[in-house]
Amino acid sequence: MPKPTFFGLPDDKRQLIERVALEEFADQGYAGSNTNRIVERCGIAKGSFYQYFDDKKDLLFHLLDKMVAEKMASLQPVLDNYKSHSFSHNIEALFETGIRYAAADPLLWRFGRRFTGGGMMDLLMEFAAKYRPVSTDLFGELLLHAEANGELRDDIDVPSVAALLTAFVNQASITVVERMTNEQTRTVFIRQMLLFLEHGVLKHSGGNDL
Amino acid sequence: MPKPTFFGLPDDKRQLIERVALEEFADQGYAGSNTNRIVERCGIAKGSFYQYFDDKKDLLFHLLDKMVAEKMASLQPVLDNYKSHSFSHNIEALFETGIRYAAADPLLWRFGRRFTGGGMMDLLMEFAAKYRPVSTDLFGELLLHAEANGELRDDIDVPSVAALLTAFVNQASITVVERMTNEQTRTVFIRQMLLFLEHGVLKHSGGNDL
DNA sequence: AGGTCACATGACTTGCAGGTCACAAGGAGG
DNA sequence: CCTCCTTGTGACCTGCAAGTCATGTGACCT
């Protein structure tokens, strides 16, 4: 945790430090990052940095915490309401939430990408334990709800398909955000994704929103 | 490119160096890797290292080249024969090839994972240009063939679905390799994946192998 | 004004990692 | 046995990056 001094900083200065650090970690990764470069680009002294943070890791973990908190907050509306909607509506909502989150703050998105599903095994292990259960079980939860609701084909194995769905939706988001700048290709892509999902997972007589 | 001296080394010594380096890079990433640790674990002198390689990057690129070459070789049978098989057969073949590749050499797999779709933007850019077109277009190619063959639903947008498929199959492989050690859960998972694909992408009257 | 305290500062220390070099060892050919 | 050439060696050099510390500074209280 950053020291009290850091949280006592004027908002603009604190935010500047966070943005600069976010960019540094997003671009260079943890091992490649450089505190000298960070303080220089913030226009603060090296010593000040260590009045705010115990060490480099402390800063990284603070940013990871913030990122997770924001992601959870942006997901909250979907998490709160999924029980009163159909499966495909929920998937679409989840997906669009992810896209909007990325569009709202591309830097935070890049940072998140760097630190999920890639390197960092050593450091991340320390961090991941806190949050792992949340994201892994989300799709399983949606599927169980859909199953109870009679929306699923009878031959669906929930754990397998939950793993597939997680992969599928995550990667689809990445594809849209990073490769499809054109609004129209995005729309087409999203429709294609939903068609793919519905015809693959749902009974063909399956219901719409409840 | 490594220096001639390296290729003149006795096989066991050369392979030892490659294995140790593969592990170092897989575990630590590029920025976190350490040549001192590598030479120590190989039981060779620091100076020798620089008789084999220009620098650390030279070693990394050599390993990346080898990895790509092996991956291409393992994919070759599928690439050679896809025109005489159905779409879902091709996907299954591709998928199982990936799984077998990972099982045959878990260390090489871990190394590959670390350096694809994660960090490394800086260094990888330099490397990726050589190979990018190959993997991105593979699924597009399979889809075009399937389309010409009348296997696809009429409302499929090939570029969109190619992107989805790439993501889907890659992530499905990762899920199987890294999370499913039990043989039976794997079998179930693969069947589920194919059901998912077929009902999502193919006409319901779609054909089997030609 | 004087004192105190929290915060800011940047030269400095320390350790380490990439890369070098002068020398040693060994083998092939005369 | 001497020579030359290729390969091996590890102490050393150099630069850099994390983290420290003695000192400066300004706000606020008395």
Side-chain angles (χ1 to χ4, degrees), chain B residues 72-118:
Chain B
M72 291 299 287
S74 82
L75 248 39
Q76 205 56 53
V78 182
L79 298 179
D80 288 342
N81 295 311
Y82 76 92
K83 289 199 175 173
S84 52
H85 291 288
S86 74
F87 181 73
S88 60
H89 176 279
N90 285 332
I91 294 289
E92 186 177 5
L94 224 43
F95 187 73
E96 299 220 308
T97 298
I99 307 281
R100 245 179 290 125
Y101 170 86
D105 193 341
L107 178 56
L108 197 60
W109 162 271
R110 266 167 57 215
F111 175 80
R113 280 273 284 142
R114 160 79 68 164
F115 293 98
T116 52

Coordinates of all heavy atoms in Angstrom, one line a residue, chain B residues 72-118:
Chain B
M72 N 5.6 -24.9 -37.1 CA 5.2 -25.0 -38.5 C 5.3 -26.4 -38.9 O 4.4 -26.9 -39.6 CB 6.1 -24.1 -39.3 CG 5.9 -22.6 -39.2 SD 4.2 -22.1 -39.6 CE 4.3 -22.2 -41.4
A73 N 6.4 -27.1 -38.5 CA 6.6 -28.5 -38.9 C 5.5 -29.3 -38.4 O 4.9 -30.2 -39.1 CB 7.9 -29.0 -38.4
S74 N 5.1 -29.1 -37.1 CA 4.0 -29.9 -36.6 C 2.7 -29.7 -37.2 O 1.8 -30.5 -37.3 CB 3.9 -29.7 -35.0 OG 3.2 -28.6 -34.7
L75 N 2.5 -28.4 -37.8 CA 1.3 -28.1 -38.4 C 1.2 -28.5 -39.9 O 0.2 -28.6 -40.5 CB 1.1 -26.6 -38.4 CG 0.0 -25.9 -37.5 CD1 -0.2 -26.7 -36.2 CD2 0.3 -24.5 -37.3
Q76 N 2.4 -28.8 -40.4 CA 2.5 -29.1 -41.8 C 1.5 -30.1 -42.4 O 0.9 -29.9 -43.4 CB 4.0 -29.5 -42.2 CG 4.3 -29.2 -43.6 CD 4.1 -27.7 -44.0 OE1 4.6 -26.8 -43.3 NE2 3.4 -27.4 -45.0
P77 N 1.4 -31.3 -41.7 CA 0.5 -32.3 -42.2 C -0.9 -31.7 -42.4 O -1.6 -32.0 -43.4 CB 0.5 -33.4 -41.1 CG 1.8 -33.2 -40.4 CD 2.1 -31.7 -40.5
V78 N -1.4 -30.9 -41.5 CA -2.7 -30.4 -41.6 C -2.8 -29.4 -42.8 O -3.7 -29.4 -43.6 CB -3.1 -29.6 -40.3 CG1 -4.6 -29.1 -40.4 CG2 -3.0 -30.6 -39.1
L79 N -1.7 -28.5 -42.9 CA -1.7 -27.6 -43.9 C -1.7 -28.2 -45.3 O -2.3 -27.7 -46.3 CB -0.5 -26.7 -43.8 CG -0.4 -25.8 -42.5 CD1 0.9 -25.0 -42.5 CD2 -1.6 -24.9 -42.4
D80 N -1.0 -29.4 -45.4 CA -0.9 -30.1 -46.7 C -2.2 -30.7 -47.1 O -2.5 -30.9 -48.3 CB 0.2 -31.1 -46.6 CG 1.5 -30.5 -46.6 OD1 1.7 -29.3 -47.0 OD2 2.5 -31.2 -46.2
N81 N -3.1 -31.1 -46.1 CA -4.2 -31.9 -46.4 C -5.6 -31.3 -46.3 O -6.6 -32.0 -46.5 CB -4.1 -33.2 -45.6 CG -2.9 -34.1 -46.0 OD1 -2.7 -34.3 -47.2 ND2 -2.2 -34.5 -45.0
Y82 N -5.6 -30.1 -45.8 CA -6.9 -29.6 -45.4 C -7.9 -29.5 -46.5 O -9.2 -29.6 -46.3 CB -6.8 -28.2 -44.8 CG -6.6 -27.0 -45.7 CD1 -7.6 -26.3 -46.2 CD2 -5.3 -26.7 -46.1 CE1 -7.4 -25.2 -47.1 CE2 -5.0 -25.6 -46.9 CZ -6.1 -24.9 -47.4 OH -5.9 -23.8 -48.3
K83 N -7.5 -29.5 -47.8 CA -8.4 -29.3 -48.9 C -9.2 -30.6 -49.1 O -10.3 -30.5 -49.7 CB -7.7 -28.9 -50.2 CG -7.2 -27.5 -50.1 CD -6.9 -26.9 -51.5 CE -6.6 -25.4 -51.3 NZ -6.1 -24.8 -52.5
S84 N -8.8 -31.7 -48.6 CA -9.5 -32.9 -48.8 C -10.3 -33.3 -47.6 O -10.7 -34.5 -47.5 CB -8.6 -34.1 -49.3 OG -7.5 -34.2 -48.4
H85 N -10.5 -32.4 -46.7 CA -11.3 -32.7 -45.5 C -12.4 -31.6 -45.2 O -12.3 -30.5 -45.7 CB -10.4 -32.9 -44.3 CG -9.5 -34.1 -44.3 ND1 -10.0 -35.4 -44.2 CD2 -8.2 -34.2 -44.5 CE1 -9.0 -36.2 -44.3 NE2 -7.9 -35.5 -44.5
S86 N -13.3 -32.0 -44.4 CA -14.3 -31.1 -44.0 C -13.8 -30.1 -43.0 O -12.7 -30.2 -42.4 CB -15.5 -31.8 -43.3 OG -15.1 -32.2 -42.0
F87 N -14.5 -29.0 -42.8 CA -14.1 -27.9 -42.0 C -13.9 -28.4 -40.5 O -12.9 -28.2 -39.9 CB -15.2 -26.8 -42.0 CG -14.8 -25.7 -41.1 CD1 -13.9 -24.8 -41.5 CD2 -15.5 -25.4 -39.9 CE1 -13.5 -23.7 -40.7 CE2 -15.2 -24.4 -39.1 CZ -14.2 -23.5 -39.5
S88 N -14.9 -29.1 -40.0 CA -14.8 -29.5 -38.6 C -13.7 -30.5 -38.4 O -13.0 -30.5 -37.3 CB -16.1 -30.0 -38.0 OG -16.5 -31.1 -38.7
H89 N -13.5 -31.3 -39.4 CA -12.3 -32.2 -39.3 C -11.0 -31.4 -39.2 O -10.1 -31.8 -38.4 CB -12.3 -33.2 -40.5 CG -11.1 -34.1 -40.5 ND1 -9.9 -33.7 -41.0 CD2 -10.9 -35.4 -40.1 CE1 -9.0 -34.7 -40.9 NE2 -9.6 -35.7 -40.3
N90 N -10.9 -30.4 -40.0 CA -9.7 -29.6 -40.1 C -9.5 -28.9 -38.7 O -8.3 -28.9 -38.2 CB -9.8 -28.6 -41.2 CG -9.6 -29.2 -42.5 OD1 -8.9 -30.2 -42.7 ND2 -10.1 -28.6 -43.6
I91 N -10.5 -28.3 -38.2 CA -10.4 -27.7 -36.9 C -10.0 -28.7 -35.8 O -9.0 -28.4 -35.0 CB -11.8 -27.0 -36.5 CG1 -12.2 -25.9 -37.4 CG2 -11.7 -26.5 -35.0 CD1 -11.3 -24.7 -37.3
E92 N -10.6 -29.8 -35.8 CA -10.2 -30.8 -34.8 C -8.7 -31.2 -35.0 O -8.0 -31.3 -34.0 CB -11.1 -32.0 -34.9 CG -10.8 -33.0 -33.8 CD -11.8 -34.2 -33.8 OE1 -12.6 -34.3 -34.8 OE2 -11.7 -35.1 -32.9
A93 N -8.3 -31.4 -36.2 CA -6.9 -31.8 -36.5 C -6.0 -30.7 -36.0 O -5.0 -31.0 -35.4 CB -6.7 -32.0 -38.0
L94 N -6.3 -29.5 -36.3 CA -5.5 -28.4 -35.9 C -5.4 -28.3 -34.4 O -4.3 -28.1 -33.8 CB -6.1 -27.1 -36.4 CG -5.3 -26.0 -37.0 CD1 -4.3 -26.5 -38.0 CD2 -6.2 -25.0 -37.7
F95 N -6.5 -28.5 -33.8 CA -6.6 -28.4 -32.3 C -5.7 -29.5 -31.7 O -4.9 -29.3 -30.8 CB -8.0 -28.5 -31.9 CG -8.3 -28.3 -30.5 CD1 -8.2 -27.0 -29.9 CD2 -8.6 -29.4 -29.6 CE1 -8.4 -26.8 -28.6 CE2 -8.8 -29.1 -28.3 CZ -8.7 -27.9 -27.8
E96 N -5.9 -30.7 -32.2 CA -5.2 -31.9 -31.6 C -3.7 -31.8 -31.9 O -2.9 -32.2 -31.1 CB -5.8 -33.2 -32.1 CG -7.2 -33.3 -31.7 CD -7.6 -34.7 -31.3 OE1 -7.3 -35.7 -32.1 OE2 -8.2 -34.9 -30.2
T97 N -3.4 -31.2 -33.0 CA -1.9 -31.0 -33.3 C -1.3 -30.1 -32.2 O -0.3 -30.3 -31.7 CB -1.8 -30.3 -34.7 OG1 -2.3 -31.2 -35.7 CG2 -0.3 -30.0 -35.0
G98 N -2.1 -29.0 -31.9 CA -1.6 -28.1 -30.9 C -1.4 -28.7 -29.6 O -0.4 -28.5 -28.9
I99 N -2.4 -29.6 -29.2 CA -2.3 -30.3 -27.9 C -1.1 -31.2 -27.9 O -0.3 -31.2 -26.9 CB -3.6 -31.1 -27.6 CG1 -4.8 -30.2 -27.8 CG2 -3.5 -31.7 -26.3 CD1 -5.1 -29.4 -26.7
R100 N -0.9 -31.9 -29.0 CA 0.2 -32.9 -29.0 C 1.5 -32.1 -29.0 O 2.5 -32.6 -28.3 CB 0.1 -33.7 -30.3 CG -0.1 -35.2 -29.9 CD -0.2 -36.1 -31.2 NE -1.5 -35.8 -31.9 CZ -1.5 -35.4 -33.2 NH1 -0.4 -35.3 -33.9 NH2 -2.7 -35.2 -33.7
Y101 N 1.6 -31.1 -29.7 CA 2.8 -30.2 -29.6 C 3.2 -29.8 -28.2 O 4.3 -29.9 -27.8 CB 2.6 -29.0 -30.5 CG 3.6 -27.9 -30.5 CD1 4.8 -28.0 -31.2 CD2 3.4 -26.8 -29.6 CE1 5.7 -26.9 -31.2 CE2 4.4 -25.8 -29.5 CZ 5.5 -25.9 -30.3 OH 6.4 -24.9 -30.2
A102 N 2.1 -29.4 -27.5 CA 2.4 -28.9 -26.1 C 2.8 -30.1 -25.2 O 3.7 -30.0 -24.4 CB 1.1 -28.3 -25.6
A103 N 2.1 -31.2 -25.4 CA 2.5 -32.4 -24.6 C 3.9 -32.9 -24.9 O 4.6 -33.4 -24.0 CB 1.5 -33.5 -24.8
A104 N 4.3 -32.8 -26.1 CA 5.6 -33.3 -26.5 C 6.7 -32.5 -25.9 O 7.8 -33.0 -25.6 CB 5.7 -33.3 -28.1
D105 N 6.5 -31.2 -25.7 CA 7.5 -30.4 -25.1 C 6.9 -29.2 -24.3 O 6.8 -28.1 -24.8 CB 8.4 -29.9 -26.2 CG 9.7 -29.3 -25.7 OD1 9.7 -29.0 -24.5 OD2 10.7 -29.1 -26.4
P106 N 6.6 -29.5 -23.1 CA 5.9 -28.5 -22.2 C 6.7 -27.2 -22.1 O 6.2 -26.1 -22.0 CB 5.7 -29.2 -20.9 CG 5.7 -30.7 -21.2 CD 6.7 -30.8 -22.4
L107 N 8.0 -27.4 -22.0 CA 8.9 -26.2 -21.8 C 8.8 -25.3 -23.1 O 8.7 -24.1 -22.9 CB 10.3 -26.7 -21.6 CG 11.4 -25.5 -21.5 CD1 11.0 -24.6 -20.3 CD2 12.7 -26.1 -21.2
L108 N 8.9 -25.9 -24.2 CA 8.7 -25.1 -25.5 C 7.4 -24.4 -25.5 O 7.3 -23.3 -25.9 CB 8.9 -26.0 -26.7 CG 9.2 -25.3 -28.0 CD1 10.5 -24.5 -27.9 CD2 9.3 -26.3 -29.1
W109 N 6.4 -25.1 -25.1 CA 5.0 -24.5 -25.0 C 5.0 -23.3 -24.1 O 4.5 -22.3 -24.4 CB 4.1 -25.6 -24.5 CG 2.8 -25.1 -24.0 CD1 2.5 -24.8 -22.7 CD2 1.6 -24.9 -24.8 NE1 1.2 -24.3 -22.6 CE2 0.6 -24.4 -23.9 CE3 1.2 -25.0 -26.1 CZ2 -0.7 -24.0 -24.3 CZ3 -0.1 -24.7 -26.5 CH2 -1.0 -24.2 -25.6
R110 N 5.6 -23.5 -22.9 CA 5.6 -22.4 -21.9 C 6.3 -21.2 -22.5 O 5.9 -20.0 -22.4 CB 6.3 -22.8 -20.6 CG 5.4 -23.3 -19.6 CD 6.1 -24.0 -18.4 NE 7.1 -23.1 -17.8 CZ 8.3 -23.5 -17.4 NH1 8.7 -24.8 -17.5 NH2 9.2 -22.7 -16.8
F111 N 7.4 -21.5 -23.1 CA 8.2 -20.4 -23.8 C 7.4 -19.7 -24.8 O 7.3 -18.4 -24.9 CB 9.5 -21.0 -24.4 CG 10.3 -20.1 -25.2 CD1 11.2 -19.2 -24.6 CD2 10.2 -20.1 -26.6 CE1 11.9 -18.3 -25.4 CE2 11.0 -19.2 -27.4 CZ 11.8 -18.3 -26.7
G112 N 6.7 -20.5 -25.6 CA 5.9 -19.9 -26.7 C 4.7 -19.0 -26.1 O 4.5 -17.9 -26.6
R113 N 4.1 -19.5 -25.1 CA 3.0 -18.8 -24.4 C 3.5 -17.4 -24.0 O 2.8 -16.4 -24.1 CB 2.5 -19.6 -23.2 CG 1.6 -20.7 -23.6 CD 0.2 -20.1 -23.7 NE -0.4 -19.9 -22.3 CZ -1.1 -18.9 -22.0 NH1 -1.4 -18.0 -22.9 NH2 -1.6 -18.8 -20.8
R114 N 4.7 -17.4 -23.3 CA 5.2 -16.2 -22.8 C 5.4 -15.1 -23.9 O 5.2 -13.9 -23.6 CB 6.5 -16.5 -22.1 CG 7.5 -15.3 -21.9 CD 7.1 -14.5 -20.7 NE 7.3 -15.1 -19.4 CZ 7.3 -14.5 -18.2 NH1 7.1 -13.2 -18.2 NH2 7.4 -15.2 -17.1
F115 N 5.8 -15.6 -25.1 CA 6.1 -14.6 -26.1 C 5.1 -14.4 -27.2 O 5.4 -14.0 -28.3 CB 7.5 -14.9 -26.7 CG 8.6 -14.8 -25.7 CD1 9.1 -15.8 -25.1 CD2 9.1 -13.5 -25.5 CE1 10.1 -15.7 -24.1 CE2 10.1 -13.3 -24.5 CZ 10.6 -14.4 -23.9
T116 N 3.9 -14.9 -26.9 CA 2.8 -14.6 -27.9 C 1.6 -14.1 -27.2 O 1.1 -14.7 -26.2 CB 2.4 -15.8 -28.7 OG1 2.1 -16.9 -27.8 CG2 3.5 -16.2 -29.6
G117 N 1.1 -12.9 -27.6 CA -0.1 -12.3 -27.0 C 0.1 -11.9 -25.6 O -0.8 -12.2 -24.7
G118 N 1.2 -11.2 -25.3 CA 1.4 -10.7 -24.0 C 2.4 -9.6 -24.1 O 2.2 -8.8 -25.0

